[in-house]
Amino acid sequence: MAADPRFHRAGAALTLAEAAAAAGGELVGGDPARVVSGVGPLDGARPEDVSFLDNRRYLPKLAETQAAAVVLGRDFAGRVPEGVAAIVVADPKLGFGRVARRLFPQPAPRPGIHPTAVVDPAATIGDGVEIGPYAVIEAGAEIGAGCVIGPHAVVGEGVVLGEGCRIGAHASLSHCIAGRFVVLHPGARIGQEGFGFSVTPEGRFETMPQLGRVLLGDAVEVGANACVDRGSQGDTVLGMGTRLDNLVQIGHNVKAGRACVLVSQVGIAGSTVLGDGVQMGGQSGTSGHLTIGDRAQVAAQSGVMSDVGPGEVVGGSPAWPMRETLRAFAALRRLAGRPASKA
Amino acid sequence: MAADPRFHRAGAALTLAEAAAAAGGELVGGDPARVVSGVGPLDGARPEDVSFLDNRRYLPKLAETQAAAVVLGRDFAGRVPEGVAAIVVADPKLGFGRVARRLFPQPAPRPGIHPTAVVDPAATIGDGVEIGPYAVIEAGAEIGAGCVIGPHAVVGEGVVLGEGCRIGAHASLSHCIAGRFVVLHPGARIGQEGFGFSVTPEGRFETMPQLGRVLLGDAVEVGANACVDRGSQGDTVLGMGTRLDNLVQIGHNVKAGRACVLVSQVGIAGSTVLGDGVQMGGQSGTSGHLTIGDRAQVAAQSGVMSDVGPGEVVGGSPAWPMRETLRAFAALRRLAGRPASKA
Amino acid sequence: MAADPRFHRAGAALTLAEAAAAAGGELVGGDPARVVSGVGPLDGARPEDVSFLDNRRYLPKLAETQAAAVVLGRDFAGRVPEGVAAIVVADPKLGFGRVARRLFPQPAPRPGIHPTAVVDPAATIGDGVEIGPYAVIEAGAEIGAGCVIGPHAVVGEGVVLGEGCRIGAHASLSHCIAGRFVVLHPGARIGQEGFGFSVTPEGRFETMPQLGRVLLGDAVEVGANACVDRGSQGDTVLGMGTRLDNLVQIGHNVKAGRACVLVSQVGIAGSTVLGDGVQMGGQSGTSGHLTIGDRAQVAAQSGVMSDVGPGEVVGGSPAWPMRETLRAFAALRRLAGRPASKA
């Protein structure tokens, strides 16, 4: 359960006082000078680990934990067993994440260009950039300071990456301007031609030139094997902080605002616009040319076929306001003879 | 909004007369000698650009456009503002695409084999082929004239590509015979072993050798990270002109006819047969061993579990004729207390 | 229809007696010394081929077959046409697969490290390993005897592969311990950071360090472009023999038992636990933190949102016991005015 040192390099150990400070919380009980060096879940933590509790369903595990300290909310601070310290915070998951990050720092870039990387002379490489084996950086590309480009990644002609981006193994970018701290997970595909064509009178498909770009805001993250197509005459845009999980599809000309969360296998059809903070559950999808308002929430597997207003919560396929969808499920359940006590 | 010259290389400028000819349309108003050099959407076009109108909902944008000319249908030709020429065509999107292609020609192959490409001596490379960095061409592969093989692409043993194919970065092909002008977008996976196994009496899975191939007709296009498995004893076949969007899955032994359109994240289970011109909306799927007739249309997110006749339009999961599916949704809506005026 | 020798290398021919022995069956009729060298479907088999029948719907094809012998169950043994031998087995598909495997042996590894492969000096390579062009093996990786690493594959720092694994072109592994005979199809992504983050009081997303691993049991197979994320504090685990089809997504901390079958485009959300022998149909999905019991069956496109007991069969979205789901569909059908004779 502890972080396997085969894969995860620990940084310096911390005292409980330092751990509490990292978490932004208050140490209650425990020796502030006691040393911790790892993290683990409640039921797997060792005496040198810090753990966390963010859901009352795990209280039984809290009672049995061997962790040195547990990051948790004030409500449960009194429930820690004998010999275990509490680190009291407003948001246990966030606080614990910060302790974990202090104990296991993100590996820093190892500046340098692998001898096998192909870097066009007309590309610009910033300070402290790490470029891995067999990466390909094409003419006119601009790689910002401190970027990490993984093995086999392809950064296409003219692509711009702001500082601190991390491009995973086998990812590919073309026709893209990315801000700072953008993360592409392995196999992500950015900037390729979207699905745009006309039908000739003879019935042949004729591709419409896709003359736009992809714009990725600061801190955008794109999951493994996810795909973001470039625009046709304008741009496909993902706003600052937006995160796409694995295998997500973003069609051409889509605009997403800031801090949107698209869970795995979501599909957004072309020209749909998402506001800020839109959340889409796994395997959900939208038709094209729709508007999904700020902070709307779309349930997993939903099929959104009409506009959704700001803050609305929708579900089902076609997607309706959740209240109506739940009533529809309840009605279906009655028709199916299913006990009312089940979901 | 204009095509960013960082990514899109403009060809020679055109006069309005030449643009109209490229579009296959009639120039109405405007100086035939006026020069245009770019394209853009109605609300982003500059005075040197051509734009298009293919939907009356954009008429307000037409009224405000700064474009030199707008490609549109006869019905709206009289609505172009002062100083803007009309290029009148039957199909504005098709006509505009042709102007765009003249102004931004598809980059021609740059013939030559990158020094880092690994090309087996027993592979055959046609005239004018471009092979990019770290591409791998295995023994017995035959690459037709004018093909473009992107960085890191793998063309497996014995694979045949007709002339003019474009294989995107990181794509891989094995066990495949492809016609002319086939396009694989980045990360497409063609020819791998399909999902075929038996269960032994002891409960182990034993793979069934997949001894077939993938046959791709002329002008087939496969989206980014889409997958097409080879046949088990026969072939998996995509007919001429068929296009798969990103993240589509084609199971072993599937046969698709000509000019089918499978939108992103569609899944076709093994041995299902699609006729010509079948259209499947995003995230829809079919069971295996079905027959979907010519020009059938399957709505997004549908689950097809029984045969569909030619020209039928189906939707829902399980998929029914759309008329019935819409009645079912209407009935559900009433049961849910949802206003009849909503979709 | 026969295995194309361009792609499939035949081994030695067999006598019918040897073929029957390979199938584990009884030769009925036919000359035991007759030689067969290939396989094919009933309607495409040539006189030197073996075929099989595993479904009565193909009896008309059996009547017309030109195969030398057909692997089939005892019920149909008397139905083989004149001049065609029967190889009688309990499981025709399994038996036929074994004949096919004898006639077309899996290509053996060609031991050796391609000169272009980048193998870290601190990696350990077992006997008889084949490493292809541009593969990257990072420090501390341990590759077991007889593994085959395809072109461009990346085996990350510290990754352990048991003997006999086959890693497809462009696949990538990090943070992973794999058993023996694990198969990754092209483009599979193992071990990347999962979708885990907190939201700061300012509304920013802050990544939760993902300090776990992926554990793959013996004989696990992962489809093309499928993704398996590593655990956050614990591990993501796929039990022995479990198979994932193409484009499947496994979220962080998921535990799957032995011999599970996840068809293409399935998505399992984080921390869900699958027992042994769970079967999930194409495009189905589960929420997170659920328990799906041994040998449960989930229909294609289902959305599982609550626990499923061992042996249960569920379908629909939300997924209910299949009996109830079918009643719900029947009720909907009546409401939609759809004939009762249709599915």
Side-chain angles (χ1 to χ4, degrees):
Chain A
M1 290 285 187
D4 187 338
R6 171 179 279 279
F7 302 121
H8 300 289
R9 207 146 290 129
L14 301 173
T15 63
L16 281 187
E18 291 169 327
E26 175 192 351
L27 182 66
V28 174
D31 173 4
R34 180 174 177 183
V35 170
V36 288
S37 57
V39 293
L42 288 167
D43 56 357
R46 305 153 306 170
E48 61 264 38
D49 293 336
V50 174
S51 190
F52 76 109
L53 173 82
D54 70 336
N55 190 308
R56 64 180 325 115
R57 99 179 88 157
Y58 298 121
L59 281 170
K61 297 194 176 186
L62 176 67
E64 303 293 316
T65 194
Q66 312 254 327
V70 178
V71 181
L72 73 182
R74 191 164 297 284
D75 287 356
F76 299 124
R79 306 282 288 267
V80 290
E82 185 85 29
V84 177
I87 294 176
V88 179
V89 292
D91 183 338
K93 209 173 109 184
L94 178 65
F96 172 78
R98 289 177 169 174
V99 177
R101 182 54 83 206
R102 279 290 302 278
L103 288 168
F104 295 91
Q106 170 109 302
R110 293 162 293 194
I113 300 178
H114 196 274
T116 61
V118 169
V119 181
D120 192 283
T124 308
I125 311 296
D127 293 336
V129 167
E130 171 185 345
I131 299 181
Y134 299 128
V136 173
I137 316 291
E138 294 185 348
E142 299 178 23
I143 314 287
C147 285
V148 178
I149 312 293
H152 298 114
V154 176
V155 181
E157 288 190 26
V159 167
V160 178
L161 300 181
E163 62 164 313
C165 293
R166 290 190 290 128
I167 307 303
H170 297 286
S172 57
L173 299 105
S174 72
H175 304 87
C176 177
I177 313 273
R180 306 171 309 153
F181 309 117
V182 166
V183 176
L184 300 193
H185 291 288
R189 309 264 161 246
I190 308 292
Q192 58 279 337
E193 187 174 271
F195 203 57
F197 53 92
S198 298
V199 187
T200 70
E202 302 76 31
R204 277 189 314 101
F205 296 151
E206 199 165 293
T207 298
M208 165 78 82
Q210 302 290 300
L211 299 173
R213 307 168 299 182
V214 173
L215 304 183
L216 302 180
D218 293 349
V220 159
E221 301 207 4
V222 180
N225 287 348
C227 302
V228 181
D229 292 343
R230 67 180 183 264
S232 52
Q233 291 95 53
D235 298 318
T236 304
V237 181
L238 300 183
M240 182 186 304
T242 280
R243 295 196 178 200
L244 311 185
D245 199 349
N246 301 344
L247 295 163
V248 166
Q249 157 67 8
I250 302 292
H252 56 182
N253 307 314
V254 163
K255 309 280 190 287
R258 303 178 164 209
C260 293
V261 176
L262 276 53
V263 180
S264 65
Q265 298 167 324
V266 160
I268 309 292
S271 300
T272 279
V273 175
L274 275 56
D276 297 334
V278 172
Q279 298 186 4
M280 302 207 43
Q283 298 181 340
S284 61
T286 76
S287 301
H289 299 274
L290 297 182
T291 299
I292 315 292
D294 295 345
R295 281 167 284 291
Q297 293 177 54
V298 176
Q301 289 198 343
S302 299
V304 181
M305 301 182 191
S306 53
D307 290 354
V308 177
E312 275 201 65
V313 178
V314 299
S317 185
W320 297 338
M322 191 59 91
R323 185 178 323 113
E324 295 174 25
T325 294
L326 292 174
R327 281 203 298 259
F329 289 156
L332 259 184
R333 190 183 315 130
R334 281 188 304 271
L335 289 170
R338 179 170 171 77
S341 57
K342 301 275 181 85
Chain B
M1 291 288 188
D4 186 337
R6 171 178 278 281
F7 303 121
H8 301 288
R9 206 148 289 128
L14 301 174
T15 62
L16 281 187
E18 290 169 330
E26 176 193 351
L27 183 67
V28 174
D31 172 4
R34 180 174 177 183
V35 170
V36 287
S37 56
V39 293
L42 287 167
D43 55 357
R46 305 153 304 170
E48 61 266 35
D49 292 336
V50 174
S51 189
F52 76 109
L53 173 82
D54 70 335
N55 190 309
R56 64 180 323 114
R57 102 180 86 157
Y58 297 120
L59 281 171
K61 296 193 175 186
L62 176 66
E64 302 294 316
T65 192
Q66 312 253 325
V70 177
V71 181
L72 74 182
R74 191 165 296 285
D75 288 355
F76 299 126
R79 306 281 290 268
V80 291
E82 185 84 30
V84 177
I87 295 176
V88 180
V89 291
D91 183 340
K93 209 175 109 184
L94 177 65
F96 172 79
R98 288 176 170 175
V99 176
R101 181 57 81 207
R102 280 289 302 280
L103 288 169
F104 295 90
Q106 171 107 300
R110 293 161 293 192
I113 299 177
H114 195 274
T116 60
V118 169
V119 181
D120 193 283
T124 307
I125 311 295
D127 293 336
V129 167
E130 171 186 346
I131 298 181
Y134 298 128
V136 173
I137 316 289
E138 296 185 348
E142 299 178 23
I143 313 287
C147 285
V148 178
I149 312 293
H152 298 115
V154 176
V155 181
E157 288 190 26
V159 168
V160 178
L161 300 180
E163 61 164 315
C165 293
R166 288 190 291 127
I167 307 303
H170 297 285
S172 56
L173 298 104
S174 72
H175 304 86
C176 176
I177 313 272
R180 305 173 307 154
F181 309 117
V182 165
V183 176
L184 300 193
H185 290 289
R189 310 264 161 247
I190 309 291
Q192 58 279 336
E193 186 175 271
F195 204 56
F197 53 92
S198 298
V199 186
T200 70
E202 302 76 30
R204 277 188 313 102
F205 297 152
E206 200 165 292
T207 297
M208 166 78 81
Q210 302 290 300
L211 299 173
R213 308 168 299 183
V214 173
L215 304 183
L216 303 179
D218 292 349
V220 159
E221 301 207 5
V222 179
N225 287 347
C227 302
V228 181
D229 292 342
R230 67 180 183 265
S232 51
Q233 291 95 50
D235 297 318
T236 304
V237 182
L238 300 183
M240 182 186 304
T242 279
R243 295 197 178 200
L244 311 186
D245 199 348
N246 301 345
L247 295 163
V248 166
Q249 158 67 9
I250 302 291
H252 54 183
N253 308 313
V254 163
K255 310 281 191 283
R258 302 178 166 212
C260 292
V261 176
L262 276 53
V263 180
S264 65
Q265 299 167 325
V266 160
I268 309 291
S271 300
T272 280
V273 175
L274 275 57
D276 296 334
V278 172
Q279 298 187 5
M280 303 207 42
Q283 297 182 342
S284 62
T286 76
S287 301
H289 300 272
L290 298 183
T291 299
I292 315 292
D294 295 345
R295 279 167 288 289
Q297 294 178 52
V298 175
Q301 289 198 345
S302 298
V304 181
M305 301 183 190
S306 54
D307 289 354
V308 177
E312 275 202 66
V313 179
V314 299
S317 186
W320 297 338
M322 190 59 89
R323 183 178 325 113
E324 295 174 25
T325 295
L326 291 175
R327 281 203 298 258
F329 289 156
L332 260 183
R333 190 182 316 130
R334 283 189 303 271
L335 290 169
R338 178 170 170 77
S341 58
K342 301 278 180 85
Chain C
M1 289 287 186
D4 186 338
R6 170 178 279 278
F7 302 120
H8 301 288
R9 207 148 291 127
L14 299 174
T15 63
L16 281 187
E18 291 170 327
E26 177 193 349
L27 182 66
V28 176
D31 173 4
R34 180 173 177 184
V35 169
V36 288
S37 58
V39 293
L42 288 167
D43 55 357
R46 305 154 305 169
E48 62 265 35
D49 293 335
V50 175
S51 190
F52 77 109
L53 173 82
D54 71 336
N55 191 309
R56 64 179 324 115
R57 99 179 86 158
Y58 297 120
L59 280 170
K61 296 193 176 188
L62 176 65
E64 302 294 318
T65 193
Q66 311 254 326
V70 178
V71 181
L72 73 182
R74 192 164 295 284
D75 287 356
F76 300 125
R79 305 284 288 267
V80 290
E82 185 86 28
V84 177
I87 294 175
V88 179
V89 293
D91 183 339
K93 207 173 112 186
L94 177 64
F96 172 77
R98 289 178 169 173
V99 177
R101 181 55 81 205
R102 279 289 303 277
L103 288 169
F104 294 91
Q106 170 108 300
R110 293 162 293 194
I113 299 177
H114 197 273
T116 61
V118 169
V119 180
D120 193 282
T124 307
I125 311 296
D127 293 335
V129 166
E130 170 185 346
I131 298 181
Y134 298 128
V136 173
I137 315 291
E138 295 185 346
E142 298 177 24
I143 314 287
C147 285
V148 178
I149 312 293
H152 298 114
V154 176
V155 181
E157 288 190 25
V159 167
V160 179
L161 300 180
E163 61 163 313
C165 293
R166 288 192 289 127
I167 308 302
H170 296 287
S172 56
L173 298 105
S174 72
H175 304 86
C176 177
I177 313 274
R180 305 172 308 154
F181 309 116
V182 165
V183 177
L184 300 193
H185 290 288
R189 308 266 160 246
I190 308 292
Q192 58 279 337
E193 186 175 271
F195 203 57
F197 54 91
S198 298
V199 186
T200 71
E202 303 76 31
R204 278 189 313 100
F205 296 151
E206 197 164 294
T207 296
M208 165 78 80
Q210 302 290 301
L211 299 174
R213 306 169 300 182
V214 174
L215 303 182
L216 302 179
D218 292 350
V220 159
E221 301 207 7
V222 179
N225 286 347
C227 301
V228 181
D229 292 342
R230 67 180 182 265
S232 50
Q233 291 95 50
D235 297 319
T236 304
V237 182
L238 300 184
M240 183 185 303
T242 279
R243 296 198 178 200
L244 312 185
D245 198 350
N246 301 345
L247 294 163
V248 166
Q249 157 68 6
I250 302 293
H252 55 182
N253 307 315
V254 163
K255 309 281 191 287
R258 302 177 165 210
C260 293
V261 176
L262 277 54
V263 180
S264 65
Q265 296 167 326
V266 160
I268 309 292
S271 301
T272 280
V273 176
L274 275 55
D276 297 334
V278 172
Q279 298 187 3
M280 303 207 43
Q283 295 181 343
S284 61
T286 76
S287 301
H289 299 274
L290 298 183
T291 300
I292 315 290
D294 295 345
R295 282 168 285 289
Q297 294 177 54
V298 175
Q301 288 198 346
S302 299
V304 181
M305 300 182 192
S306 54
D307 290 354
V308 177
E312 275 201 66
V313 179
V314 299
S317 185
W320 296 339
M322 191 57 91
R323 185 178 324 112
E324 296 174 26
T325 294
L326 291 176
R327 282 204 297 260
F329 288 157
L332 259 184
R333 191 183 313 131
R334 283 190 302 272
L335 290 169
R338 178 169 169 77
S341 59
K342 300 275 179 88

